[in-house]
Every structure is written in structure tokens, then in C-alpha cells.
Amino acid sequence: GQGDLYFVYTCMRNMVCGGWADRIRGTINGYLLANITGRTFKVQIENPQCKLANFIVPNSVVDWTNLSQIGRLSQQSLHQIDDKRFIVALKHGLDLGSVVRKGAQTIRFTGNMDYVDALRHSPIYSSAQVAWMKGM
């Protein structure tokens, strides 16, 4: 609906997304960032055209396949391919809320780096949001 907030890992035909390992890493990071920001996670990969549900089955906890409800919502792109500065900023306390434009209902995220270490050492994401990562 109009009040819902989404975080969509996005790799469209005209984008640089990296190879499959980069896309898997980006998808995992997108899921983590969606949880931290309290948004519903979705995946849209069209480069190359890929029906990800042929390989990974959505479940009742995370059904990332239905994108029809986000088309009319206000959107913001967060393109973080090979952006080491973003990782350093996360590790030193970057609040993701400060990156998200006010009123953006859908964040379209593209990223290919590992954010787990940065998030688990972040001074602002040390609560229950990332507590499960502390022993990694």
C-alpha cells in the first residue's frame, strides 16, 4: 500500500551490477539493510533477465518476488558498486536514515561489497538489529 516502505535489490538491463557473486553479495546486503531500516525486502534482477525464483524459493517470512505494489511509490536509488567509502562510513556510524531521502517509499539498492563487518562494528547498529552477527 501507500504507507509501506520497501528496500529493493535492483539490477536492471542498463546498470553495472558486477557478476553473479556480486549480485548474490548485493542481495544479501540488501536483505540486511532492509531489516535494519525496517523496510520490506524485494529483489529485481533483469540484467541478465533472471527469474531468481527458479533457484531460490520465496517463503512466508520473505516473499521478495511481488514487485507490482511498488511501481507507483516514490523511489530513491542507492547505487553502491565498489564504494569502499560507504563501508567505512557504515562502520563509523553512518545512519542509513540520513542517506534515505525523506518521503522515499522505495529504496532501489545496488551494491556488491560485504557490509556485514561494517554493520556489526557500527556504533549505531549494535542493538538487536545486528546482534546475531556479533559472533561472525
Side-chain angles (χ1 to χ4, degrees):
Q2 287 294 325
D4 295 334
L5 301 174
Y6 298 94
F7 201 96
V8 183
Y9 173 77
T10 305
C11 182
M12 304 303 282
R13 288 181 189 96
N14 59 344
M15 297 175 73
V16 173
C17 305
W20 277 112
D22 290 322
R23 293 167 204 209
I24 290 168
R25 207 171 12 256
T27 301
I28 292 167
N29 287 317
Y31 178 74
L32 293 173
L33 297 175
N35 281 291
I36 286 172
T37 58
R39 292 172 174 263
T40 301
F41 179 65
K42 300 288 182 184
V43 176
Q44 185 174 19
I45 296 178
E46 296 182 3
N47 178 19
Q49 190 165 3
C50 171
K51 188 167 176 84
L52 198 55
N54 289 342
F55 307 100
I56 302 172
V57 179
N59 60 40
S60 61
V61 177
V62 180
D63 181 3
W64 40 265
T65 59
N66 185 359
L67 297 168
S68 62
Q69 67 271 41
I70 67 170
R72 296 177 305 280
L73 301 178
S74 62
Q75 305 201 9
Q76 175 183 346
S77 292
L78 186 57
H79 192 75
Q80 300 297 353
I81 294 293
D82 295 330
D83 191 349
K84 292 178 183 161
R85 292 173 302 162
F86 186 68
I87 292 174
V88 170
L90 282 175
K91 189 171 186 173
H92 289 97
L94 173 69
D95 179 2
L96 289 169
S98 70
V99 176
V100 174
R101 188 179 68 243
K102 186 176 172 109
Q105 294 168 290
T106 300
I107 304 302
R108 291 192 163 276
F109 168 77
T110 306
N112 64 336
M113 303 192 81
D114 186 356
Y115 300 164
V116 172
D117 188 58
L119 290 170
R120 70 186 177 110
H121 287 98
S122 169
I124 64 170
Y125 296 114
S126 59
S127 66
Q129 294 169 315
V130 297
W132 62 273
M133 286 192 258
K134 293 296 181 187
M136 295 176 76

